[in-house]
Amino acid sequence: CAEIMCKRGVCMEQSSKRQPQSPILLGIMCFFAYTICYDGRSILSAILPAMTEVSAFDKESLGLMGSAFFLTYGIGQIINGLIGDHVRARYMVSIGLLGAGVSLLCFPVISSGTLGIFLWGICGLLLSMLWGPLSKVIAENVPSNRARYYMTGLTVASILGTMAASLIATAASARQKWQAAFYISGDCVCRGMVCGAGIFGKTADSASDSKKRKRKPGDGKRSFFHPVEKCDSSYGVCGHRQRHYPQCGGLLDTDLYR
């Protein structure tokens, strides 16, 4: 439902939809999600010496695993960037983290080098689902004068995630259990799905930006036939469908962009 108010001849609609998340809390959760992403991304290269020492896989297969990851990660950045214009960030981030986490948890139990190459290719594609949606959410919900600091924070998050992977790999190598590194990282990445589902679920995550209809000429302009200005709300400019509200004494545009 919506509450209609008239103020200085302008009708405003207060929507009962949830308000966007706090920019500070949003930044913290983006930082957390991207740190976890880089932990999962870097764990293979961090634990690689230990895996080579115990001959978990042959060197050729290990090299191809890393190559498959970065190949699909690079291609995925392009593909997921386009998909992100039509899919909400919470879905992209949640699916990416959950799928990558499951891939990391499954990796220690396989013995086939070919299957390992395939698994890391899938993992690279899934982790590439984060950068585009995270940067889009920041751009849409953070003031432009502060957005650059949030983006710098994501760069710092990538460094911390790489450091976390190194620490996990060091601890696992000390106990001569390289599998533990993937279990720990996989568990962390899966838990990060909560970040994507819960946090971004409250943001002004407009996945339908590309579906917005064009405004009609004269929308929001005062005239003899359209005496009331456009509706205003915390979710942006309203436009298009005109309805008559006697208590406002005129026409009111109420078709919110969705």
Side-chain angles (χ1 to χ4, degrees):
C1 62
E3 179 183 353
I4 308 299
M5 298 190 309
C6 291
K7 184 178 181 181
R8 295 181 182 179
V10 179
C11 287
M12 295 183 294
E13 181 178 5
Q14 290 185 337
S15 175
S16 61
K17 294 181 180 180
R18 292 177 298 180
Q19 298 296 318
Q21 192 71 270
S22 165
I24 296 178
L25 181 58
L26 176 65
I28 292 174
M29 289 205 264
C30 287
F31 182 89
F32 178 68
Y34 209 56
T35 301
I36 292 176
C37 171
Y38 259 78
D39 174 29
R41 169 180 168 169
S42 305
I43 191 63
L44 177 62
S45 57
I47 198 65
L48 193 61
M51 295 179 65
T52 304
E53 184 177 347
V54 298
S55 300
F57 295 94
D58 58 87
K59 295 182 179 180
E60 182 180 356
S61 296
L62 290 173
L64 289 175
M65 289 177 194
S67 299
F69 176 88
F70 286 106
L71 178 63
T72 56
Y73 186 86
I75 296 175
Q77 291 281 8
I78 301 173
I79 297 175
N80 291 317
L82 298 174
I83 296 176
D85 290 336
H86 306 280
V87 180
R88 293 186 180 277
R90 55 180 157 176
Y91 301 138
M92 296 282 288
V93 174
S94 299
I95 293 174
L97 290 176
L98 178 61
V102 171
S103 299
L104 291 172
L105 291 174
C106 292
F107 180 71
V109 301
I110 65 175
S111 57
S112 170
T114 303
L115 185 57
I117 295 170
F118 174 78
L119 201 60
W120 273 101
I122 295 296
C123 187
L125 185 63
L126 290 167
L127 288 180
S128 69
M129 298 175 70
L130 270 73
W131 172 254
L134 291 179
S135 57
K136 179 184 176 183
V137 166
I138 290 175
E140 290 181 346
N141 295 275
V142 178
S144 57
N145 61 336
R146 288 190 292 171
R148 62 179 180 272
Y149 299 113
Y150 283 66
M151 297 305 294
T152 302
L154 293 185
T155 302
V156 176
S158 67
I159 298 174
L160 292 180
T162 304
M163 293 174 60
S166 298
L167 292 175
I168 293 173
T170 301
S173 299
R175 298 191 177 188
Q176 297 182 350
K177 294 182 178 181
W178 62 269
Q179 297 92 337
F182 293 98
Y183 289 137
I184 296 173
S185 293
D187 180 68
C188 291
V189 174
C190 285
R191 291 176 186 273
M193 182 197 65
V194 178
C195 179
I199 302 171
F200 301 109
K202 295 184 178 180
T203 64
D205 175 20
S206 54
S208 58
D209 284 344
S210 60
K211 300 179 183 178
K212 291 179 180 177
R213 291 166 293 187
K214 296 181 180 179
R215 296 174 58 191
K216 297 178 181 178
D219 277 356
K221 295 181 181 179
R222 188 182 298 275
S223 66
F224 178 79
F225 296 100
H226 193 75
V228 182
E229 289 186 358
K230 65 195 174 198
C231 171
D232 186 22
S233 75
S234 60
Y235 281 81
V237 177
C238 303
H240 307 307
R241 187 176 303 165
Q242 297 177 351
R243 297 179 184 174
H244 184 71
Y245 289 88
Q247 66 269 35
C248 297
L251 297 174
L252 176 64
D253 291 335
T254 59
D255 189 12
L256 291 174
Y257 285 146
R258 301 185 185 278

PDB file of all heavy atoms in Angstrom, residues 184-216:
ATOM      1  N   ILE A 184      38.567 -25.962   4.616  1.00  0.00           N
ATOM      2  CA  ILE A 184      38.399 -24.704   5.359  1.00  0.00           C
ATOM      3  C   ILE A 184      37.944 -23.585   4.423  1.00  0.00           C
ATOM      4  O   ILE A 184      36.988 -22.859   4.719  1.00  0.00           O
ATOM      5  CB  ILE A 184      39.716 -24.310   6.068  1.00  0.00           C
ATOM      6  CG1 ILE A 184      40.074 -25.352   7.132  1.00  0.00           C
ATOM      7  CG2 ILE A 184      39.589 -22.929   6.695  1.00  0.00           C
ATOM      8  CD1 ILE A 184      41.431 -25.139   7.764  1.00  0.00           C
ATOM      9  N   SER A 185      38.620 -23.458   3.295  1.00  0.00           N
ATOM     10  CA  SER A 185      38.254 -22.408   2.344  1.00  0.00           C
ATOM     11  C   SER A 185      36.856 -22.633   1.776  1.00  0.00           C
ATOM     12  O   SER A 185      36.066 -21.694   1.634  1.00  0.00           O
ATOM     13  CB  SER A 185      39.268 -22.334   1.204  1.00  0.00           C
ATOM     14  OG  SER A 185      40.519 -21.890   1.666  1.00  0.00           O
ATOM     15  N   GLY A 186      36.536 -23.895   1.463  1.00  0.00           N
ATOM     16  CA  GLY A 186      35.209 -24.201   0.940  1.00  0.00           C
ATOM     17  C   GLY A 186      34.116 -23.886   1.937  1.00  0.00           C
ATOM     18  O   GLY A 186      33.050 -23.361   1.571  1.00  0.00           O
ATOM     19  N   ASP A 187      34.379 -24.185   3.207  1.00  0.00           N
ATOM     20  CA  ASP A 187      33.399 -23.874   4.252  1.00  0.00           C
ATOM     21  C   ASP A 187      33.184 -22.371   4.376  1.00  0.00           C
ATOM     22  O   ASP A 187      32.044 -21.899   4.499  1.00  0.00           O
ATOM     23  CB  ASP A 187      33.873 -24.465   5.578  1.00  0.00           C
ATOM     24  CG  ASP A 187      32.901 -24.178   6.706  1.00  0.00           C
ATOM     25  OD1 ASP A 187      31.782 -24.730   6.690  1.00  0.00           O
ATOM     26  OD2 ASP A 187      33.248 -23.382   7.601  1.00  0.00           O
ATOM     27  N   CYS A 188      34.278 -21.613   4.329  1.00  0.00           N
ATOM     28  CA  CYS A 188      34.171 -20.145   4.429  1.00  0.00           C
ATOM     29  C   CYS A 188      33.402 -19.558   3.245  1.00  0.00           C
ATOM     30  O   CYS A 188      32.573 -18.662   3.410  1.00  0.00           O
ATOM     31  CB  CYS A 188      35.566 -19.521   4.502  1.00  0.00           C
ATOM     32  SG  CYS A 188      36.460 -19.864   6.030  1.00  0.00           S
ATOM     33  N   VAL A 189      33.684 -20.074   2.055  1.00  0.00           N
ATOM     34  CA  VAL A 189      33.012 -19.554   0.862  1.00  0.00           C
ATOM     35  C   VAL A 189      31.524 -19.885   0.895  1.00  0.00           C
ATOM     36  O   VAL A 189      30.686 -19.052   0.536  1.00  0.00           O
ATOM     37  CB  VAL A 189      33.671 -20.119  -0.413  1.00  0.00           C
ATOM     38  CG1 VAL A 189      32.890 -19.706  -1.650  1.00  0.00           C
ATOM     39  CG2 VAL A 189      35.106 -19.617  -0.532  1.00  0.00           C
ATOM     40  N   CYS A 190      31.175 -21.091   1.344  1.00  0.00           N
ATOM     41  CA  CYS A 190      29.759 -21.454   1.452  1.00  0.00           C
ATOM     42  C   CYS A 190      29.044 -20.576   2.469  1.00  0.00           C
ATOM     43  O   CYS A 190      27.902 -20.146   2.244  1.00  0.00           O
ATOM     44  CB  CYS A 190      29.616 -22.926   1.843  1.00  0.00           C
ATOM     45  SG  CYS A 190      29.955 -24.090   0.511  1.00  0.00           S
ATOM     46  N   ARG A 191      29.697 -20.300   3.584  1.00  0.00           N
ATOM     47  CA  ARG A 191      29.090 -19.430   4.589  1.00  0.00           C
ATOM     48  C   ARG A 191      28.910 -18.011   4.064  1.00  0.00           C
ATOM     49  O   ARG A 191      28.024 -17.275   4.509  1.00  0.00           O
ATOM     50  CB  ARG A 191      29.940 -19.419   5.854  1.00  0.00           C
ATOM     51  CG  ARG A 191      29.940 -20.725   6.624  1.00  0.00           C
ATOM     52  CD  ARG A 191      30.885 -20.686   7.810  1.00  0.00           C
ATOM     53  NE  ARG A 191      31.003 -21.971   8.465  1.00  0.00           N
ATOM     54  CZ  ARG A 191      30.192 -22.407   9.432  1.00  0.00           C
ATOM     55  NH1 ARG A 191      29.193 -21.625   9.838  1.00  0.00           N
ATOM     56  NH2 ARG A 191      30.367 -23.590   9.982  1.00  0.00           N
ATOM     57  N   GLY A 192      29.756 -17.635   3.138  1.00  0.00           N
ATOM     58  CA  GLY A 192      29.627 -16.309   2.552  1.00  0.00           C
ATOM     59  C   GLY A 192      28.357 -16.136   1.747  1.00  0.00           C
ATOM     60  O   GLY A 192      27.955 -15.008   1.447  1.00  0.00           O
ATOM     61  N   MET A 193      27.697 -17.251   1.401  1.00  0.00           N
ATOM     62  CA  MET A 193      26.432 -17.161   0.690  1.00  0.00           C
ATOM     63  C   MET A 193      25.405 -16.402   1.512  1.00  0.00           C
ATOM     64  O   MET A 193      24.538 -15.701   0.977  1.00  0.00           O
ATOM     65  CB  MET A 193      25.910 -18.561   0.373  1.00  0.00           C
ATOM     66  CG  MET A 193      24.613 -18.573  -0.404  1.00  0.00           C
ATOM     67  SD  MET A 193      23.762 -20.173  -0.344  1.00  0.00           S
ATOM     68  CE  MET A 193      23.350 -20.278   1.394  1.00  0.00           C
ATOM     69  N   VAL A 194      25.481 -16.529   2.842  1.00  0.00           N
ATOM     70  CA  VAL A 194      24.566 -15.801   3.721  1.00  0.00           C
ATOM     71  C   VAL A 194      24.729 -14.308   3.505  1.00  0.00           C
ATOM     72  O   VAL A 194      23.768 -13.544   3.545  1.00  0.00           O
ATOM     73  CB  VAL A 194      24.837 -16.169   5.190  1.00  0.00           C
ATOM     74  CG1 VAL A 194      23.924 -15.392   6.120  1.00  0.00           C
ATOM     75  CG2 VAL A 194      24.666 -17.669   5.388  1.00  0.00           C
ATOM     76  N   CYS A 195      25.962 -13.902   3.252  1.00  0.00           N
ATOM     77  CA  CYS A 195      26.243 -12.490   2.990  1.00  0.00           C
ATOM     78  C   CYS A 195      25.508 -12.040   1.738  1.00  0.00           C
ATOM     79  O   CYS A 195      24.872 -10.988   1.717  1.00  0.00           O
ATOM     80  CB  CYS A 195      27.743 -12.280   2.823  1.00  0.00           C
ATOM     81  SG  CYS A 195      28.239 -10.595   2.471  1.00  0.00           S
ATOM     82  N   GLY A 196      25.563 -12.845   0.705  1.00  0.00           N
ATOM     83  CA  GLY A 196      24.903 -12.468  -0.538  1.00  0.00           C
ATOM     84  C   GLY A 196      23.394 -12.487  -0.429  1.00  0.00           C
ATOM     85  O   GLY A 196      22.706 -11.600  -0.941  1.00  0.00           O
ATOM     86  N   ALA A 197      22.844 -13.479   0.272  1.00  0.00           N
ATOM     87  CA  ALA A 197      21.391 -13.611   0.354  1.00  0.00           C
ATOM     88  C   ALA A 197      20.775 -12.616   1.324  1.00  0.00           C
ATOM     89  O   ALA A 197      19.754 -12.003   1.041  1.00  0.00           O
ATOM     90  CB  ALA A 197      21.036 -15.037   0.773  1.00  0.00           C
ATOM     91  N   GLY A 198      21.402 -12.454   2.487  1.00  0.00           N
ATOM     92  CA  GLY A 198      20.810 -11.599   3.507  1.00  0.00           C
ATOM     93  C   GLY A 198      21.100 -10.134   3.341  1.00  0.00           C
ATOM     94  O   GLY A 198      20.236  -9.281   3.512  1.00  0.00           O
ATOM     95  N   ILE A 199      22.307  -9.807   2.946  1.00  0.00           N
ATOM     96  CA  ILE A 199      22.716  -8.417   2.880  1.00  0.00           C
ATOM     97  C   ILE A 199      22.115  -7.715   1.694  1.00  0.00           C
ATOM     98  O   ILE A 199      21.417  -6.721   1.829  1.00  0.00           O
ATOM     99  CB  ILE A 199      24.242  -8.333   2.764  1.00  0.00           C
ATOM    100  CG1 ILE A 199      24.874  -9.027   3.931  1.00  0.00           C
ATOM    101  CG2 ILE A 199      24.707  -6.918   2.619  1.00  0.00           C
ATOM    102  CD1 ILE A 199      26.314  -9.201   3.857  1.00  0.00           C
ATOM    103  N   PHE A 200      22.388  -8.243   0.534  1.00  0.00           N
ATOM    104  CA  PHE A 200      21.972  -7.557  -0.676  1.00  0.00           C
ATOM    105  C   PHE A 200      20.469  -7.663  -0.895  1.00  0.00           C
ATOM    106  O   PHE A 200      19.925  -6.999  -1.756  1.00  0.00           O
ATOM    107  CB  PHE A 200      22.724  -8.123  -1.878  1.00  0.00           C
ATOM    108  CG  PHE A 200      24.205  -7.992  -1.736  1.00  0.00           C
ATOM    109  CD1 PHE A 200      24.994  -9.106  -1.515  1.00  0.00           C
ATOM    110  CD2 PHE A 200      24.820  -6.755  -1.789  1.00  0.00           C
ATOM    111  CE1 PHE A 200      26.371  -8.992  -1.360  1.00  0.00           C
ATOM    112  CE2 PHE A 200      26.191  -6.640  -1.633  1.00  0.00           C
ATOM    113  CZ  PHE A 200      26.963  -7.757  -1.419  1.00  0.00           C
ATOM    114  N   GLY A 201      19.810  -8.507  -0.093  1.00  0.00           N
ATOM    115  CA  GLY A 201      18.366  -8.596  -0.211  1.00  0.00           C
ATOM    116  C   GLY A 201      17.657  -7.326   0.204  1.00  0.00           C
ATOM    117  O   GLY A 201      16.508  -7.116  -0.131  1.00  0.00           O
ATOM    118  N   LYS A 202      18.346  -6.441   0.938  1.00  0.00           N
ATOM    119  CA  LYS A 202      17.715  -5.212   1.414  1.00  0.00           C
ATOM    120  C   LYS A 202      18.217  -3.974   0.693  1.00  0.00           C
ATOM    121  O   LYS A 202      17.880  -2.858   1.056  1.00  0.00           O
ATOM    122  CB  LYS A 202      17.970  -5.048   2.920  1.00  0.00           C
ATOM    123  CG  LYS A 202      17.311  -6.127   3.759  1.00  0.00           C
ATOM    124  CD  LYS A 202      17.518  -5.846   5.233  1.00  0.00           C
ATOM    125  CE  LYS A 202      16.828  -6.905   6.093  1.00  0.00           C
ATOM    126  NZ  LYS A 202      17.024  -6.635   7.534  1.00  0.00           N
ATOM    127  N   THR A 203      19.040  -4.162  -0.307  1.00  0.00           N
ATOM    128  CA  THR A 203      19.555  -3.007  -1.028  1.00  0.00           C
ATOM    129  C   THR A 203      18.618  -2.593  -2.138  1.00  0.00           C
ATOM    130  O   THR A 203      17.737  -3.337  -2.538  1.00  0.00           O
ATOM    131  CB  THR A 203      20.932  -3.331  -1.652  1.00  0.00           C
ATOM    132  OG1 THR A 203      20.763  -4.361  -2.617  1.00  0.00           O
ATOM    133  CG2 THR A 203      21.930  -3.748  -0.603  1.00  0.00           C
ATOM    134  N   ALA A 204      18.846  -1.400  -2.637  1.00  0.00           N
ATOM    135  CA  ALA A 204      18.078  -0.939  -3.798  1.00  0.00           C
ATOM    136  C   ALA A 204      18.693  -1.562  -5.033  1.00  0.00           C
ATOM    137  O   ALA A 204      19.275  -0.904  -5.879  1.00  0.00           O
ATOM    138  CB  ALA A 204      18.120   0.579  -3.892  1.00  0.00           C
ATOM    139  N   ASP A 205      18.590  -2.862  -5.095  1.00  0.00           N
ATOM    140  CA  ASP A 205      19.235  -3.656  -6.146  1.00  0.00           C
ATOM    141  C   ASP A 205      18.321  -3.708  -7.354  1.00  0.00           C
ATOM    142  O   ASP A 205      17.485  -4.581  -7.467  1.00  0.00           O
ATOM    143  CB  ASP A 205      19.518  -5.054  -5.586  1.00  0.00           C
ATOM    144  CG  ASP A 205      20.073  -5.988  -6.621  1.00  0.00           C
ATOM    145  OD1 ASP A 205      20.588  -5.505  -7.638  1.00  0.00           O
ATOM    146  OD2 ASP A 205      19.986  -7.203  -6.403  1.00  0.00           O
ATOM    147  N   SER A 206      18.460  -2.786  -8.258  1.00  0.00           N
ATOM    148  CA  SER A 206      17.544  -2.682  -9.389  1.00  0.00           C
ATOM    149  C   SER A 206      18.037  -3.518 -10.551  1.00  0.00           C
ATOM    150  O   SER A 206      18.742  -3.047 -11.416  1.00  0.00           O
ATOM    151  CB  SER A 206      17.396  -1.228  -9.829  1.00  0.00           C
ATOM    152  OG  SER A 206      18.665  -0.674 -10.090  1.00  0.00           O
ATOM    153  N   ALA A 207      17.677  -4.795 -10.543  1.00  0.00           N
ATOM    154  CA  ALA A 207      18.063  -5.665 -11.647  1.00  0.00           C
ATOM    155  C   ALA A 207      17.276  -5.342 -12.900  1.00  0.00           C
ATOM    156  O   ALA A 207      17.649  -5.732 -13.993  1.00  0.00           O
ATOM    157  CB  ALA A 207      17.828  -7.128 -11.277  1.00  0.00           C
ATOM    158  N   SER A 208      16.173  -4.643 -12.744  1.00  0.00           N
ATOM    159  CA  SER A 208      15.317  -4.368 -13.886  1.00  0.00           C
ATOM    160  C   SER A 208      15.594  -3.014 -14.497  1.00  0.00           C
ATOM    161  O   SER A 208      14.734  -2.442 -15.141  1.00  0.00           O
ATOM    162  CB  SER A 208      13.848  -4.440 -13.453  1.00  0.00           C
ATOM    163  OG  SER A 208      13.605  -3.521 -12.409  1.00  0.00           O
ATOM    164  N   ASP A 209      16.772  -2.457 -14.276  1.00  0.00           N
ATOM    165  CA  ASP A 209      17.096  -1.164 -14.864  1.00  0.00           C
ATOM    166  C   ASP A 209      16.919  -1.187 -16.367  1.00  0.00           C
ATOM    167  O   ASP A 209      16.467  -0.227 -16.967  1.00  0.00           O
ATOM    168  CB  ASP A 209      18.547  -0.771 -14.546  1.00  0.00           C
ATOM    169  CG  ASP A 209      18.673  -0.306 -13.107  1.00  0.00           C
ATOM    170  OD1 ASP A 209      17.609  -0.020 -12.505  1.00  0.00           O
ATOM    171  OD2 ASP A 209      19.792  -0.248 -12.607  1.00  0.00           O
ATOM    172  N   SER A 210      17.330  -2.281 -17.006  1.00  0.00           N
ATOM    173  CA  SER A 210      17.239  -2.363 -18.449  1.00  0.00           C
ATOM    174  C   SER A 210      15.814  -2.561 -18.920  1.00  0.00           C
ATOM    175  O   SER A 210      15.531  -2.449 -20.104  1.00  0.00           O
ATOM    176  CB  SER A 210      18.098  -3.524 -18.965  1.00  0.00           C
ATOM    177  OG  SER A 210      17.650  -4.732 -18.403  1.00  0.00           O
ATOM    178  N   LYS A 211      14.884  -2.889 -17.988  1.00  0.00           N
ATOM    179  CA  LYS A 211      13.509  -3.117 -18.359  1.00  0.00           C
ATOM    180  C   LYS A 211      12.638  -1.885 -18.127  1.00  0.00           C
ATOM    181  O   LYS A 211      11.437  -1.929 -18.322  1.00  0.00           O
ATOM    182  CB  LYS A 211      12.941  -4.295 -17.544  1.00  0.00           C
ATOM    183  CG  LYS A 211      13.698  -5.592 -17.767  1.00  0.00           C
ATOM    184  CD  LYS A 211      13.099  -6.681 -16.911  1.00  0.00           C
ATOM    185  CE  LYS A 211      13.885  -7.982 -17.062  1.00  0.00           C
ATOM    186  NZ  LYS A 211      13.352  -9.038 -16.196  1.00  0.00           N
ATOM    187  N   LYS A 212      13.227  -0.821 -17.623  1.00  0.00           N
ATOM    188  CA  LYS A 212      12.436   0.371 -17.361  1.00  0.00           C
ATOM    189  C   LYS A 212      11.906   0.942 -18.667  1.00  0.00           C
ATOM    190  O   LYS A 212      12.645   1.087 -19.626  1.00  0.00           O
ATOM    191  CB  LYS A 212      13.288   1.429 -16.664  1.00  0.00           C
ATOM    192  CG  LYS A 212      13.676   1.058 -15.247  1.00  0.00           C
ATOM    193  CD  LYS A 212      14.533   2.147 -14.649  1.00  0.00           C
ATOM    194  CE  LYS A 212      14.940   1.798 -13.241  1.00  0.00           C
ATOM    195  NZ  LYS A 212      15.821   2.793 -12.652  1.00  0.00           N
ATOM    196  N   ARG A 213      10.664   1.294 -18.638  1.00  0.00           N
ATOM    197  CA  ARG A 213      10.079   1.897 -19.818  1.00  0.00           C
ATOM    198  C   ARG A 213      10.475   3.354 -19.910  1.00  0.00           C
ATOM    199  O   ARG A 213      10.665   4.017 -18.908  1.00  0.00           O
ATOM    200  CB  ARG A 213       8.554   1.766 -19.757  1.00  0.00           C
ATOM    201  CG  ARG A 213       8.085   0.340 -19.923  1.00  0.00           C
ATOM    202  CD  ARG A 213       6.654   0.210 -19.526  1.00  0.00           C
ATOM    203  NE  ARG A 213       6.513   0.431 -18.084  1.00  0.00           N
ATOM    204  CZ  ARG A 213       5.360   0.240 -17.449  1.00  0.00           C
ATOM    205  NH1 ARG A 213       4.303  -0.152 -18.104  1.00  0.00           N
ATOM    206  NH2 ARG A 213       5.294   0.451 -16.158  1.00  0.00           N
ATOM    207  N   LYS A 214      10.532   3.850 -21.119  1.00  0.00           N
ATOM    208  CA  LYS A 214      10.903   5.227 -21.323  1.00  0.00           C
ATOM    209  C   LYS A 214       9.794   6.146 -20.842  1.00  0.00           C
ATOM    210  O   LYS A 214       8.618   5.867 -21.005  1.00  0.00           O
ATOM    211  CB  LYS A 214      11.189   5.499 -22.810  1.00  0.00           C
ATOM    212  CG  LYS A 214      12.381   4.715 -23.339  1.00  0.00           C
ATOM    213  CD  LYS A 214      12.618   5.054 -24.795  1.00  0.00           C
ATOM    214  CE  LYS A 214      13.820   4.265 -25.330  1.00  0.00           C
ATOM    215  NZ  LYS A 214      14.040   4.567 -26.760  1.00  0.00           N
ATOM    216  N   ARG A 215      10.180   7.256 -20.281  1.00  0.00           N
ATOM    217  CA  ARG A 215       9.199   8.214 -19.801  1.00  0.00           C
ATOM    218  C   ARG A 215       8.510   8.880 -20.968  1.00  0.00           C
ATOM    219  O   ARG A 215       9.120   9.183 -21.979  1.00  0.00           O
ATOM    220  CB  ARG A 215       9.888   9.272 -18.926  1.00  0.00           C
ATOM    221  CG  ARG A 215      10.485   8.720 -17.670  1.00  0.00           C
ATOM    222  CD  ARG A 215      11.261   9.788 -16.931  1.00  0.00           C
ATOM    223  NE  ARG A 215      10.391  10.900 -16.621  1.00  0.00           N
ATOM    224  CZ  ARG A 215      10.844  12.075 -16.169  1.00  0.00           C
ATOM    225  NH1 ARG A 215      12.132  12.256 -16.014  1.00  0.00           N
ATOM    226  NH2 ARG A 215      10.011  13.048 -15.885  1.00  0.00           N
ATOM    227  N   LYS A 216       7.224   9.109 -20.815  1.00  0.00           N
ATOM    228  CA  LYS A 216       6.470   9.776 -21.844  1.00  0.00           C
ATOM    229  C   LYS A 216       6.776  11.269 -21.833  1.00  0.00           C
ATOM    230  O   LYS A 216       7.086  11.827 -20.777  1.00  0.00           O
ATOM    231  CB  LYS A 216       4.978   9.568 -21.614  1.00  0.00           C
ATOM    232  CG  LYS A 216       4.552   8.107 -21.708  1.00  0.00           C
ATOM    233  CD  LYS A 216       3.081   7.985 -21.418  1.00  0.00           C
ATOM    234  CE  LYS A 216       2.652   6.516 -21.481  1.00  0.00           C
ATOM    235  NZ  LYS A 216       1.216   6.375 -21.154  1.00  0.00           N
TER     236      LYS A 216
END
